[in-house]
Amino acid sequence: QYASLCFSAMAKCDQMMDDIPGEAEAWANAGRQFFQAEEILFLSRSASYEESLEAAVQCFSFAIQAQHKKGNNVMAAMFCLELGHWLKKLHKYHEAVGYFQKAADFQSEVLECQLHTLFEIASCKLLLREHDSALGILSRVVRDTDGKGGALASLHRRCEITVVLLLLSLQFPRKYMKPEHTQLLDKYTRDLSITGAIHEDVDSNLL
């Protein structure tokens, strides 16, 4: 953890010199070092008191705060996303959702980035088995990406398939489904072979 402490010291020096970008990046580098230390314990299934995890989150929080105070919400969102991905990697799904949501809030003026972030939130909700919440988020992304091209077209299909899988899994009576859900279900289950293809694609499209 020597590297983590060095980066933390650099961050404090940059803070004194009012170098916000340098300070934020130094805090993030310190956080990455702490996360890597925690990941080693996680992957080896060794006992952990999560001191490195707590330190990592604190360092990234300082980086996020520094960029946000400077008004640089794009970079603040990027640090939130990176923190969320680290937490998700360590199976801290509840905590990851919080930082993904912060990233989405920072991305309020960048719709494409925000929609991808919402998918990350839904992914964590699914891992937490919060299916109703995930369904609501994914349905919003499906609506907001409808008719879009490029990366959003790919995201649209991924979310559509995931919504269909959720509907099939939850087995809602059709009379209680929203019209958008019945239409989507009909679109993908019109042919049994399509339904089979959906199930084959679940791993690549869900998480």
Side-chain angles (χ1 to χ4, degrees), residues 43-95:
L43 293 175
S44 64
R45 299 185 179 182
S46 301
S48 171
Y49 296 103
E50 299 189 346
E51 294 99 334
S52 293
L53 176 63
E54 292 176 6
V57 170
Q58 185 178 50
C59 287
F60 267 98
S61 296
F62 288 151
I64 294 164
Q65 183 181 23
Q67 292 289 9
H68 178 52
K69 287 177 68 175
K70 189 70 173 178
N72 193 346
N73 286 343
V74 173
M75 286 303 301
M78 288 181 63
F79 287 134
C80 285
L81 283 171
E82 185 175 355
L83 177 49
H85 283 299
W86 272 111
L87 290 167
K88 183 180 178 183
K89 194 174 184 179
L90 296 172
H91 295 185
K92 301 293 184 180
Y93 304 126
H94 279 293
E95 294 86 344

Side-chain angles (χ1 to χ4, degrees), residues 132 135 167 170-182 185:
D132 288 342
L135 181 61
L167 293 171
L170 296 173
Q171 298 182 332
F172 288 132
R174 289 181 68 90
K175 63 181 179 180
Y176 296 126
M177 285 187 188
K178 295 180 179 180
E180 62 184 300
H181 291 157
T182 56
L185 201 57

